[in-house]
Coordinates of all heavy atoms in Angstrom, one line a residue:
M1 N 164.1 41.6 90.3 CA 164.6 42.8 91.1 C 163.4 43.7 91.5 O 162.5 43.9 90.7 CB 165.6 43.6 90.3 CG 166.2 44.7 91.0 SD 167.3 44.0 92.2 CE 168.1 45.5 92.8
F2 N 163.4 44.1 92.7 CA 162.3 44.9 93.2 C 162.6 46.4 93.0 O 163.7 46.8 93.2 CB 162.1 44.7 94.7 CG 161.7 43.3 95.1 CD1 162.5 42.5 95.7 CD2 160.4 42.9 94.7 CE1 162.1 41.2 96.1 CE2 160.0 41.6 95.1 CZ 160.9 40.7 95.7
E3 N 161.6 47.1 92.4 CA 161.8 48.5 92.1 C 161.3 49.3 93.3 O 160.2 49.1 93.8 CB 161.0 48.9 90.9 CG 161.5 48.2 89.6 CD 162.8 48.7 89.2 OE1 163.2 49.9 89.4 OE2 163.6 47.9 88.6
K4 N 162.2 50.3 93.7 CA 161.8 51.2 94.8 C 160.5 52.0 94.5 O 159.7 52.2 95.4 CB 162.9 52.1 95.2 CG 162.7 52.8 96.5 CD 163.9 53.7 96.9 CE 165.0 52.9 97.5 NZ 166.0 53.7 98.1
N5 N 160.4 52.3 93.2 CA 159.2 53.1 92.9 C 157.9 52.3 93.1 O 156.9 52.8 93.5 CB 159.3 53.5 91.4 CG 158.3 54.6 91.1 OD1 158.1 55.5 91.9 ND2 157.7 54.5 89.9
D6 N 158.0 51.0 92.8 CA 156.8 50.1 93.0 C 156.5 50.0 94.5 O 155.4 50.1 94.9 CB 157.2 48.7 92.5 CG 156.1 47.6 92.8 OD1 154.9 47.9 92.5 OD2 156.4 46.6 93.4
T7 N 157.6 49.9 95.3 CA 157.4 49.8 96.8 C 156.8 51.1 97.2 O 155.8 51.1 98.0 CB 158.8 49.7 97.5 OG1 159.4 48.5 97.0 CG2 158.7 49.6 99.0
H8 N 157.3 52.2 96.8 CA 156.7 53.6 97.1 C 155.2 53.7 96.8 O 154.4 54.1 97.7 CB 157.5 54.6 96.4 CG 157.1 56.0 96.6 ND1 157.4 56.7 97.7 CD2 156.3 56.8 95.9 CE1 156.8 57.9 97.7 NE2 156.1 58.0 96.6
E9 N 154.9 53.3 95.6 CA 153.5 53.4 95.2 C 152.6 52.5 96.0 O 151.5 52.9 96.4 CB 153.3 53.0 93.7 CG 153.9 54.0 92.7 CD 153.3 55.4 92.8 OE1 152.0 55.4 92.9 OE2 154.0 56.4 92.8
R10 N 153.0 51.3 96.3 CA 152.2 50.4 97.1 C 152.0 50.8 98.5 O 151.0 50.7 99.1 CB 152.7 49.0 97.0 CG 152.5 48.3 95.6 CD 153.1 47.0 95.5 NE 152.5 46.0 96.3 CZ 153.0 44.8 96.5 NH1 154.1 44.4 95.9 NH2 152.4 43.9 97.3
V11 N 153.1 51.4 99.1 CA 153.1 51.9 100.5 C 152.1 53.1 100.6 O 151.2 53.1 101.5 CB 154.5 52.3 101.0 CG1 154.4 53.1 102.3 CG2 155.3 51.1 101.2
I12 N 152.2 54.0 99.6 CA 151.3 55.1 99.6 C 149.8 54.7 99.5 O 148.9 55.2 100.1 CB 151.7 56.1 98.5 CG1 152.9 56.9 99.0 CG2 150.6 57.1 98.2 CD1 153.4 57.9 98.1
S13 N 149.6 53.7 98.6 CA 148.3 53.2 98.4 C 147.7 52.6 99.7 O 146.6 52.8 100.1 CB 148.3 52.1 97.3 OG 147.0 51.6 97.0
I14 N 148.5 51.8 100.4 CA 148.1 51.2 101.7 C 147.8 52.2 102.7 O 146.8 52.2 103.4 CB 149.2 50.2 102.2 CG1 149.2 48.9 101.3 CG2 148.9 49.8 103.6 CD1 150.4 48.1 101.5
I15 N 148.6 53.2 102.8 CA 148.4 54.3 103.8 C 147.2 55.1 103.5 O 146.4 55.4 104.4 CB 149.7 55.2 103.9 CG1 150.8 54.3 104.6 CG2 149.4 56.4 104.8 CD1 152.2 55.0 104.5
G16 N 147.1 55.4 102.2 CA 145.9 56.2 101.8 C 144.6 55.5 102.1 O 143.6 56.0 102.6
E17 N 144.5 54.2 101.8 CA 143.4 53.4 102.0 C 143.1 53.3 103.5 O 141.9 53.4 103.9 CB 143.6 51.9 101.5 CG 143.3 51.7 100.0 CD 143.6 50.3 99.6 OE1 143.5 49.4 100.4 OE2 144.0 50.1 98.4
T18 N 144.1 53.0 104.3 CA 143.9 52.8 105.7 C 143.4 54.1 106.4 O 142.5 54.0 107.2 CB 145.2 52.3 106.4 OG1 145.6 51.1 105.7 CG2 145.0 52.0 107.9
L19 N 144.0 55.2 106.0 CA 143.6 56.5 106.6 C 142.6 57.3 105.9 O 142.2 58.4 106.3 CB 144.9 57.4 106.8 CG 146.0 56.8 107.6 CD1 147.2 57.7 107.6 CD2 145.6 56.5 109.0
K20 N 142.1 56.6 104.8 CA 141.0 57.3 104.0 C 141.4 58.6 103.5 O 140.7 59.6 103.6 CB 139.7 57.3 104.7 CG 139.2 55.9 105.1 CD 137.9 55.9 105.9 CE 137.4 54.6 106.2 NZ 138.3 53.4 106.4
L21 N 142.6 58.6 102.9 CA 143.2 59.9 102.3 C 143.4 59.7 100.8 O 143.6 58.6 100.3 CB 144.6 60.2 102.9 CG 144.6 60.4 104.4 CD1 146.1 60.4 104.9 CD2 143.9 61.7 104.8
D22 N 143.4 60.8 100.1 CA 143.8 60.7 98.7 C 145.3 60.4 98.6 O 146.1 61.0 99.4 CB 143.5 62.1 98.0 CG 142.0 62.4 97.9 OD1 141.2 61.4 97.8 OD2 141.7 63.6 97.9
K23 N 145.6 59.6 97.6 CA 147.1 59.2 97.5 C 147.9 60.5 97.2 O 149.0 60.5 97.7 CB 147.3 58.3 96.3 CG 146.7 56.9 96.6 CD 147.1 55.8 95.6 CE 147.4 56.2 94.2 NZ 147.6 55.0 93.3
E24 N 147.4 61.5 96.6 CA 148.1 62.7 96.4 C 148.5 63.5 97.6 O 149.5 64.2 97.7 CB 147.3 63.7 95.4 CG 147.1 63.2 94.0 CD 146.0 62.1 93.9 OE1 145.1 62.1 94.7 OE2 146.2 61.2 93.1
S25 N 147.7 63.2 98.7 CA 148.0 63.9 100.0 C 149.1 63.2 100.8 O 149.5 63.7 101.8 CB 146.8 64.2 100.8 OG 146.2 62.9 101.2
V26 N 149.4 62.0 100.4 CA 150.4 61.2 101.1 C 151.8 61.4 100.5 O 152.2 60.8 99.5 CB 150.1 59.7 101.1 CG1 151.1 58.9 101.9 CG2 148.6 59.5 101.7
K27 N 152.5 62.4 101.0 CA 153.8 62.7 100.5 C 154.9 61.9 101.2 O 154.8 61.5 102.3 CB 154.1 64.2 100.7 CG 153.1 65.1 100.1 CD 153.1 65.2 98.7 CE 152.1 66.2 98.1 NZ 151.7 65.8 96.8
P28 N 156.1 61.7 100.5 CA 157.2 60.9 101.1 C 157.7 61.4 102.4 O 158.0 60.6 103.3 CB 158.3 60.9 100.0 CG 157.6 61.2 98.8 CD 156.4 62.1 99.1
E29 N 157.7 62.7 102.6 CA 158.2 63.3 103.8 C 157.2 63.3 104.9 O 157.5 63.6 106.1 CB 158.8 64.7 103.6 CG 157.7 65.7 103.1 CD 157.4 65.7 101.6 OE1 157.9 64.9 100.9 OE2 156.5 66.5 101.2
A30 N 155.9 63.0 104.6 CA 154.9 63.0 105.6 C 155.1 61.9 106.7 O 155.7 60.9 106.5 CB 153.5 62.7 105.0
T31 N 154.8 62.3 107.9 CA 154.8 61.3 109.0 C 153.5 60.7 109.2 O 152.5 61.3 108.8 CB 155.3 62.0 110.4 OG1 154.3 63.0 110.7 CG2 156.6 62.7 110.2
F32 N 153.4 59.5 109.9 CA 152.2 58.9 110.2 C 151.3 59.9 111.1 O 150.1 60.1 110.8 CB 152.4 57.6 110.9 CG 152.9 56.5 110.1 CD1 154.2 56.0 110.3 CD2 152.2 56.0 109.0 CE1 154.7 55.0 109.5 CE2 152.7 55.0 108.2 CZ 154.0 54.5 108.4
E33 N 152.0 60.5 112.1 CA 151.3 61.4 113.0 C 150.8 62.6 112.2 O 149.6 63.0 112.4 CB 152.3 61.8 114.0 CG 151.7 62.5 115.2 CD 152.7 62.8 116.3 OE1 152.9 61.9 117.1 OE2 153.3 63.9 116.3
G34 N 151.6 63.1 111.3 CA 151.2 64.2 110.5 C 150.0 64.0 109.6 O 149.2 64.9 109.2
L35 N 149.8 62.7 109.2 CA 148.7 62.3 108.4 C 147.4 61.9 109.3 O 146.4 61.5 108.7 CB 149.0 61.1 107.5 CG 150.1 61.3 106.5 CD1 150.5 60.0 105.8 CD2 149.5 62.3 105.4
G36 N 147.6 62.1 110.6 CA 146.4 61.9 111.5 C 146.3 60.4 112.0 O 145.3 60.1 112.5
A37 N 147.4 59.6 111.8 CA 147.3 58.2 112.3 C 147.7 58.2 113.8 O 148.6 58.8 114.2 CB 148.4 57.4 111.5
D38 N 146.9 57.4 114.5 CA 147.2 57.1 115.9 C 147.9 55.8 115.9 O 148.3 55.2 114.9 CB 145.9 57.1 116.7 CG 144.9 56.0 116.3 OD1 145.3 55.1 115.7 OD2 143.7 56.2 116.7
S39 N 148.2 55.3 117.1 CA 149.0 54.1 117.3 C 148.3 52.9 116.7 O 149.0 52.0 116.1 CB 149.4 53.9 118.7 OG 148.2 53.8 119.5
L40 N 147.0 52.8 116.8 CA 146.3 51.7 116.2 C 146.3 51.7 114.7 O 146.5 50.7 114.0 CB 144.9 51.6 116.7 CG 144.7 51.2 118.1 CD1 143.2 51.3 118.5 CD2 145.2 49.8 118.4
D41 N 146.2 52.9 114.1 CA 146.3 53.1 112.6 C 147.7 52.7 112.2 O 147.8 52.0 111.2 CB 146.1 54.6 112.2 CG 144.7 55.0 112.4 OD1 143.7 54.2 112.3 OD2 144.5 56.2 112.7
R42 N 148.7 53.1 112.9 CA 150.1 52.8 112.6 C 150.3 51.2 112.6 O 150.9 50.7 111.7 CB 151.0 53.5 113.5 CG 152.5 53.3 113.2 CD 153.3 54.0 114.3 NE 154.7 53.5 114.2 CZ 155.7 54.3 113.7 NH1 155.5 55.5 113.4 NH2 156.9 53.8 113.6
L43 N 149.8 50.6 113.6 CA 149.9 49.1 113.7 C 149.2 48.5 112.5 O 149.7 47.5 111.9 CB 149.3 48.7 115.0 CG 149.4 47.2 115.3 CD1 150.8 46.7 115.3 CD2 148.7 46.8 116.6
E44 N 148.0 48.9 112.2 CA 147.2 48.4 111.0 C 148.0 48.6 109.7 O 148.1 47.7 108.9 CB 145.9 49.1 111.0 CG 145.0 48.5 109.8 CD 143.6 49.1 109.8 OE1 143.3 49.9 110.6 OE2 142.9 48.8 108.8
I45 N 148.6 49.8 109.6 CA 149.4 50.0 108.4 C 150.6 49.1 108.3 O 150.8 48.5 107.2 CB 149.9 51.5 108.3 CG1 148.7 52.4 108.1 CG2 151.0 51.7 107.3 CD1 148.9 53.9 108.4
I46 N 151.3 48.9 109.4 CA 152.5 48.0 109.4 C 152.1 46.6 109.1 O 152.7 45.9 108.3 CB 153.2 48.1 110.7 CG1 153.8 49.5 111.0 CG2 154.3 47.0 110.8 CD1 154.9 49.9 110.0
M47 N 150.9 46.1 109.6 CA 150.5 44.8 109.4 C 150.1 44.6 107.9 O 150.4 43.6 107.3 CB 149.3 44.4 110.3 CG 149.7 44.2 111.7 SD 148.4 44.1 112.9 CE 147.3 42.9 112.2
K48 N 149.4 45.6 107.3 CA 149.0 45.5 105.9 C 150.3 45.5 105.0 O 150.3 44.8 104.0 CB 148.1 46.7 105.5 CG 146.7 46.5 106.1 CD 145.8 47.7 105.7 CE 144.4 47.5 106.1 NZ 143.5 48.7 105.7
I49 N 151.3 46.3 105.4 CA 152.5 46.4 104.6 C 153.2 45.1 104.6 O 153.7 44.5 103.6 CB 153.4 47.5 105.1 CG1 152.8 48.9 104.7 CG2 154.8 47.4 104.6 CD1 153.5 50.1 105.3
E50 N 153.3 44.5 105.8 CA 154.0 43.2 106.0 C 153.3 42.1 105.1 O 153.9 41.3 104.4 CB 153.9 42.7 107.4 CG 154.9 43.4 108.3 CD 154.8 43.0 109.8 OE1 153.7 42.7 110.3 OE2 155.9 43.0 110.4
E51 N 151.9 42.1 105.1 CA 151.2 41.2 104.3 C 151.4 41.4 102.8 O 151.6 40.5 102.0 CB 149.7 41.3 104.7 CG 148.9 40.2 104.0 CD 147.4 40.3 104.4 OE1 147.1 40.6 105.5 OE2 146.6 40.0 103.5
A52 N 151.3 42.7 102.4 CA 151.4 43.0 101.0 C 152.8 42.7 100.4 O 152.9 42.3 99.2 CB 151.1 44.5 100.8
F53 N 153.8 42.9 101.2 CA 155.2 42.7 100.7 C 155.8 41.4 101.1 O 156.9 41.1 100.7 CB 156.1 43.9 101.1 CG 155.7 45.2 100.4 CD1 155.0 46.1 101.1 CD2 156.1 45.4 99.2 CE1 154.6 47.3 100.5 CE2 155.8 46.6 98.5 CZ 155.0 47.6 99.2
G54 N 155.1 40.6 102.0 CA 155.7 39.4 102.4 C 156.9 39.6 103.3 O 157.9 38.8 103.1
V55 N 157.0 40.6 104.1 CA 158.1 40.9 104.9 C 157.7 40.9 106.4 O 156.5 41.0 106.7 CB 158.8 42.2 104.6 CG1 159.3 42.2 103.2 CG2 157.9 43.4 104.8
D56 N 158.7 40.7 107.3 CA 158.5 40.9 108.7 C 159.2 42.1 109.2 O 160.5 42.1 109.0 CB 159.0 39.6 109.5 CG 158.0 38.4 109.2 OD1 156.8 38.6 109.2 OD2 158.6 37.3 109.0
I57 N 158.5 43.0 109.7 CA 159.2 44.3 110.2 C 159.3 44.1 111.7 O 158.3 43.9 112.4 CB 158.3 45.5 109.9 CG1 158.2 45.6 108.3 CG2 158.9 46.8 110.5 CD1 157.3 46.7 107.9
S58 N 160.5 44.1 112.2 CA 160.7 43.9 113.7 C 160.2 45.1 114.4 O 160.1 46.2 113.9 CB 162.2 43.6 114.0 OG 162.9 44.8 113.8
D59 N 160.0 45.0 115.7 CA 159.6 46.1 116.6 C 160.7 47.2 116.5 O 160.3 48.4 116.5 CB 159.4 45.7 118.0 CG 158.2 44.8 118.2 OD1 157.3 44.8 117.3 OD2 158.1 44.1 119.2
E60 N 161.9 46.8 116.5 CA 163.0 47.8 116.4 C 163.0 48.6 115.1 O 163.1 49.8 115.1 CB 164.4 47.0 116.5 CG 165.6 48.0 116.5 CD 166.9 47.2 116.7 OE1 167.0 46.5 117.7 OE2 167.7 47.3 115.8
Q61 N 162.7 47.9 114.0 CA 162.6 48.5 112.7 C 161.4 49.4 112.6 O 161.5 50.5 112.1 CB 162.5 47.5 111.5 CG 163.8 46.8 111.3 CD 163.6 45.5 110.4 OE1 162.7 44.8 110.5 NE2 164.6 45.3 109.5
E62 N 160.3 48.9 113.2 CA 159.1 49.7 113.2 C 159.3 51.0 114.0 O 158.8 52.1 113.5 CB 157.9 48.9 113.8 CG 156.6 49.7 113.8 CD 155.5 49.0 114.5 OE1 155.6 47.7 114.7 OE2 154.5 49.6 114.8
A63 N 160.0 51.0 115.1 CA 160.2 52.2 115.9 C 161.0 53.2 115.1 O 160.9 54.4 115.4 CB 160.9 51.8 117.2
K64 N 161.8 52.8 114.2 CA 162.6 53.7 113.4 C 161.9 54.3 112.2 O 162.4 55.2 111.5 CB 163.9 53.0 112.9 CG 164.8 52.7 114.0 CD 166.1 52.0 113.5 CE 167.0 51.5 114.6 NZ 168.1 50.8 114.1
I65 N 160.7 53.8 111.9 CA 159.9 54.3 110.7 C 159.2 55.5 111.2 O 158.1 55.4 111.9 CB 159.0 53.2 110.1 CG1 159.8 52.0 109.6 CG2 158.1 53.8 109.0 CD1 159.0 50.8 109.2
N66 N 159.6 56.7 110.8 CA 159.0 57.9 111.2 C 158.3 58.7 110.1 O 157.5 59.6 110.3 CB 160.0 58.9 111.9 CG 160.6 58.2 113.1 OD1 159.9 57.7 114.0 ND2 161.9 58.3 113.3
S67 N 158.6 58.3 108.9 CA 158.0 58.9 107.7 C 157.6 57.9 106.7 O 158.0 56.7 106.8 CB 158.9 59.9 107.1 OG 160.1 59.2 106.5
I68 N 156.9 58.3 105.7 CA 156.5 57.5 104.6 C 157.7 57.0 103.9 O 157.9 55.8 103.6 CB 155.5 58.2 103.6 CG1 154.3 58.8 104.3 CG2 155.1 57.3 102.5 CD1 153.6 57.9 105.2
Q69 N 158.7 57.9 103.7 CA 159.9 57.5 103.0 C 160.7 56.5 103.8 O 161.3 55.6 103.3 CB 160.8 58.8 102.7 CG 162.0 58.5 101.9 CD 161.6 57.9 100.5 OE1 160.7 58.4 99.9 NE2 162.4 57.0 100.0
G70 N 160.7 56.7 105.1 CA 161.3 55.7 106.0 C 160.7 54.3 105.9 O 161.4 53.3 105.9
A71 N 159.4 54.3 105.8 CA 158.7 53.0 105.6 C 159.2 52.4 104.2 O 159.5 51.2 104.2 CB 157.2 53.2 105.6
V72 N 159.2 53.2 103.2 CA 159.6 52.7 101.9 C 161.1 52.1 101.9 O 161.3 51.1 101.4 CB 159.5 53.8 100.8 CG1 160.1 53.4 99.5 CG2 158.0 54.2 100.6
E73 N 162.0 52.9 102.6 CA 163.4 52.5 102.7 C 163.5 51.1 103.4 O 164.2 50.2 103.0 CB 164.2 53.5 103.3 CG 164.3 54.9 102.6 CD 165.1 54.8 101.3 OE1 165.9 53.9 101.2 OE2 164.8 55.6 100.4
T74 N 162.8 51.0 104.5 CA 162.8 49.8 105.3 C 162.3 48.6 104.5 O 162.9 47.6 104.5 CB 162.0 50.0 106.6 OG1 162.6 51.1 107.4 CG2 162.0 48.7 107.5
I75 N 161.2 48.8 103.9 CA 160.6 47.7 103.1 C 161.5 47.3 102.0 O 161.7 46.1 101.7 CB 159.2 48.1 102.7 CG1 158.2 48.2 103.9 CG2 158.6 47.0 101.7 CD1 157.1 49.1 103.6
H76 N 162.0 48.3 101.3 CA 162.8 48.0 100.1 C 164.1 47.2 100.5 O 164.4 46.2 99.9 CB 163.2 49.3 99.4 CG 163.8 49.1 98.1 ND1 163.1 48.6 97.0 CD2 165.1 49.3 97.7 CE1 164.0 48.5 96.0 NE2 165.1 48.9 96.3
A77 N 164.6 47.6 101.7 CA 165.8 46.9 102.2 C 165.5 45.4 102.5 O 166.2 44.5 102.2 CB 166.4 47.6 103.4
L78 N 164.3 45.2 103.2 CA 163.9 43.9 103.5 C 163.6 43.0 102.3 O 163.9 41.8 102.3 CB 162.6 43.9 104.4 CG 162.9 44.5 105.8 CD1 161.5 44.7 106.5 CD2 163.7 43.5 106.6
R79 N 163.0 43.6 101.3 CA 162.7 42.9 100.1 C 163.9 42.4 99.3 O 163.9 41.4 98.6 CB 161.8 43.7 99.1 CG 160.4 43.9 99.7 CD 159.6 44.8 98.8 NE 159.0 44.0 97.7 CZ 158.5 44.5 96.6 NH1 158.5 45.8 96.4 NH2 158.0 43.8 95.7
K80 N 165.0 43.2 99.4 CA 166.2 42.8 98.7 C 167.0 41.7 99.3 O 167.9 41.1 98.7 CB 167.1 44.1 98.6 CG 166.5 45.1 97.6 CD 167.3 46.4 97.6 CE 168.8 46.3 97.5 NZ 169.4 47.6 97.5
K81 N 166.6 41.4 100.6 CA 167.4 40.3 101.3 C 167.1 38.9 100.7 O 166.1 38.6 100.3 CB 167.0 40.3 102.8 CG 167.7 41.5 103.5 CD 167.4 41.4 105.0 CE 168.1 42.5 105.7 NZ 167.9 42.5 107.1

């Protein structure tokens, strides 16, 4: 069984590494835009997340990911399938 907390920690780690931010500054309610990510950063983050979790995030799902928590919810749902 996949733990949502594990998903959360790994997503924050990936985002922090990609954007060169401290993990403490990456809050669940933060948006990619609010963290200073541009469209290329966002694409890189999505690709790293897909690789790390072994999931495929569709363009439609990606468009709905507006916050860190949204990314965690989407990935967690995909991992449970």
Side-chain angles (χ1 to χ4, degrees):
M1 186 70 174
F2 296 110
E3 296 292 328
K4 192 178 278 189
N5 195 41
D6 174 55
T7 303
H8 178 80
E9 290 298 318
R10 288 175 66 191
V11 167
I12 285 184
S13 182
I14 290 167
I15 292 168
E17 279 178 27
T18 305
L19 299 178
K20 297 176 180 31
L21 299 170
D22 291 330
K23 289 190 333 184
E24 293 76 32
S25 65
V26 182
K27 303 289 184 209
E29 63 278 0
T31 62
F32 290 114
E33 195 174 272
L35 292 171
D38 61 21
S39 58
L40 289 177
D41 291 327
R42 184 182 167 109
L43 181 61
E44 183 179 353
I45 289 166
I46 295 297
M47 288 171 50
K48 285 181 177 181
I49 286 172
E50 287 178 324
E51 184 178 325
F53 291 100
V55 297
D56 288 319
I57 299 173
S58 70
D59 291 342
E60 184 178 300
Q61 289 167 320
E62 181 184 343
K64 292 179 183 177
I65 298 174
N66 297 314
S67 67
I68 306 311
Q69 189 61 39
V72 170
E73 296 292 337
T74 299
I75 294 157
H76 191 68
L78 288 170
R79 291 178 81 196
K80 287 173 46 178
K81 286 186 177 180

